[in-house]
Amino acid sequence: MPTYSNEIIINLHMHTTYSDGSGSHADIAQAALRKGLDAVIVTDHNVHVAGPESYYKEGKKRVLLLVGEEVHNQARDPQKSHLLIFGADKSMSAYAKDPQLLIDAVRQAGGLSFLAHPFEHAAPSIGETAIDWVDWQVQGYNGLELWNGFGEIKSLIPTKIHALFYAFFPNLIAHAPYQEVLDKWDDLLQEDRRVFAIGGSDAHALKLSIGPLHRIVFPYDFHFSAINTHILANEPLSGELVRDRHLILDSLANGHSFIGYDLPAPTRGFRFTAQGKDRSVIMGDDMDSDGGVTLQIKLPEPADCRLLRNGKIIDSWTRHQVCTHITTEPGIYRVEVYRKYLGKSRGWIFSNPIFIR
Ligand SMILES: [Zn+2]
Ligand SMILES: [Zn+2]
């Protein structure tokens, strides 16, 4: 029986100088090595820069840098519907005009697609519109970016002064995924769509200049210690590019992962499992309700935990570390964990669902 005991921490969705980021692929690899990540997937806008895809090493540490793409229709005004693409091996931007054609083409190319920042706030103070997903009629995508690290700032900056404040205190930005995205995700799951959640940083390492002051704000290092996607796999990464790329993409496609906001405290070690009569499964998997199912949640340290069934909270625990819920009811079960950080209760862990049939 698979044990899924290998936890692989990856950071998704970032930009280099090939689009609107300020750093290179090598800068990203260095930052990822410093922060102890296992892998990153770079997603520049409408360009697939294949060359830098590789393992990067420093001493005994190594990190796998994979190349994806963030595609949108550049002629659309205002901008809407950005799509994150992993593992397609070539640019998909030629299909940008029609989101369904794009999603289908990505699948045909062997890639995965996730709706980027599906809900956003506009931030007129810095001239930013809400670049949300509007083409909800599409089918066949793999999931959505439930929590976007950079996008969340747009909800917090009614004035330029606020924007400047958060540029210097980025630890105060992240609160939780927007409730609108959580609700939409639950609705899609209720429609029997297997759509899985990922966390993205949307890192740009922006250059800010005010008079004589020059500074990189929201550097890659910051994002890489914040909203990560943690994969649970049957095997560890081997150090071999093709094999490890396959393992990571396969895990993301199957929802064998959770989103961890690692800044308040490391989320490594979180587990959400379902034990049935004769087998046990993890996030992303199906389980038969016959004979009862024990859902178990293990947290790296005590925190406030909610168990949801079909989008509704059915059990909750305050400052618990191991939470158990026994059920015979079919449904789609997922977990949200919150903890105190910098004076507020903030989202810490968001699991992918277990489907009890
Ligand atoms: Zn975007
Ligand atoms: Zn982006």
Side-chain angles (χ1 to χ4, degrees):
M1 194 156 67
T3 57
Y4 298 103
S5 56
N6 299 283
E7 185 164 344
I8 297 163
I9 305 180
I10 62 175
N11 195 279
L12 300 169
H13 188 170
M14 66 216 68
H15 299 274
T16 73
T17 48
Y18 281 90
S19 59
D20 53 355
S22 80
S24 65
H25 291 84
D27 293 335
I28 285 177
Q30 289 306 314
L33 282 165
R34 279 195 294 274
K35 293 298 169 186
L37 293 178
D38 296 304
V40 293
I41 307 184
V42 179
T43 50
D44 276 308
H45 294 290
N46 295 303
V47 59
H48 185 271
V49 189
E53 183 159 287
S54 179
Y55 260 106
Y56 292 74
K57 294 182 181 134
E58 195 176 82
K60 284 191 176 150
K61 291 206 270 185
R62 69 176 184 214
V63 67
L64 177 59
L65 184 148
L66 298 174
V67 173
E69 188 179 16
E70 183 176 18
V71 169
H72 67 280
N73 179 1
Q74 288 164 290
R76 196 166 181 168
D77 186 25
Q79 272 188 48
K80 295 287 175 194
S81 299
H82 285 193
L83 189 72
L84 290 171
I85 297 166
F86 309 138
D89 273 345
K90 58 180 174 186
S91 178
M92 290 286 140
S93 59
Y95 302 94
K97 268 195 188 132
D98 182 331
Q100 187 62 64
L101 270 185
L102 173 62
I103 288 165
D104 295 345
V106 171
R107 193 167 281 266
Q108 267 194 338
L112 309 179
S113 57
F114 289 84
L115 316 185
H117 38 83
F119 178 86
E120 275 205 326
H121 289 270
S125 64
I126 54 164
E128 284 279 324
T129 58
I131 309 174
D132 35 14
W133 187 271
V134 293
D135 302 284
W136 287 106
Q137 74 287 357
V138 294
Q139 310 259 355
Y141 50 95
N142 296 87
L144 41 82
E145 186 184 43
L146 194 73
W147 200 355
N148 176 296
F150 185 56
E152 199 176 345
I153 196 178
K154 289 187 178 181
S155 67
L156 299 168
I157 50 172
T159 69
K160 277 208 172 89
I161 299 292
H162 287 84
L164 200 60
F165 172 78
Y166 284 108
F168 283 86
F169 300 101
N171 292 20
L172 293 167
I173 296 172
H175 288 73
Y178 293 129
Q179 191 58 46
E180 291 90 336
V181 184
L182 288 162
D183 291 345
K184 186 69 191 179
W185 184 33
D186 285 326
D187 289 349
L188 292 166
L189 289 167
Q190 288 301 295
E191 289 169 18
D192 220 13
R193 301 201 204 198
R194 284 183 94 83
V195 283
F196 295 117
I198 54 168
S201 59
D202 214 348
H204 289 76
L206 293 176
K207 279 186 178 151
L208 181 75
S209 294
I210 309 166
L213 184 72
H214 304 283
R215 187 186 161 107
I216 300 271
V217 292
F218 315 117
Y220 299 119
D221 285 78
F222 163 72
H223 281 294
F224 294 173
S225 47
I227 298 167
N228 290 308
T229 299
H230 294 234
I231 282 172
L232 298 178
N234 240 345
E235 296 165 36
L237 292 177
S238 65
E240 203 269 302
L241 170 68
V242 175
R243 183 178 164 158
D244 292 347
R245 185 171 70 159
H246 185 263
L247 183 143
I248 287 171
L249 295 174
D250 198 53
S251 304
L252 291 175
N254 288 303
H256 293 161
S257 63
F258 64 89
I259 300 166
Y261 178 37
D262 288 311
L263 207 53
T267 61
R268 182 189 279 283
F270 169 78
R271 296 292 183 271
F272 175 39
T273 55
Q275 276 127 40
K277 257 195 321 238
D278 43 34
R279 67 188 195 108
S280 157
V281 301
I282 66 160
M283 293 162 281
D285 288 342
D286 288 77
M287 169 61 89
D288 204 324
S289 61
D290 265 8
V293 177
T294 302
L295 294 166
Q296 192 174 67
I297 304 156
K298 284 188 194 164
L299 304 177
E301 57 183 78
D304 300 340
C305 185
R306 304 169 174 173
L307 176 68
L308 295 93
R309 175 180 170 272
N310 298 342
K312 304 257 167 4
I313 299 170
I314 53 157
D315 212 342
S316 61
W317 301 265
T318 306
R319 295 204 185 170
H320 257 60
Q321 192 161 7
V322 177
C323 315
T324 306
H325 181 96
I326 296 169
T327 186
T328 51
E329 279 192 83
I332 299 162
Y333 291 78
R334 64 177 187 83
V335 174
E336 297 180 357
V337 187
Y338 295 81
R339 59 170 292 149
K340 260 266 171 80
Y341 179 57
L342 300 175
K344 285 184 181 171
S345 171
R346 296 174 193 260
W348 190 35
I349 296 166
F350 293 82
S351 83
N352 265 310
I354 293 176
F355 303 88
I356 298 182
R357 305 291 183 190

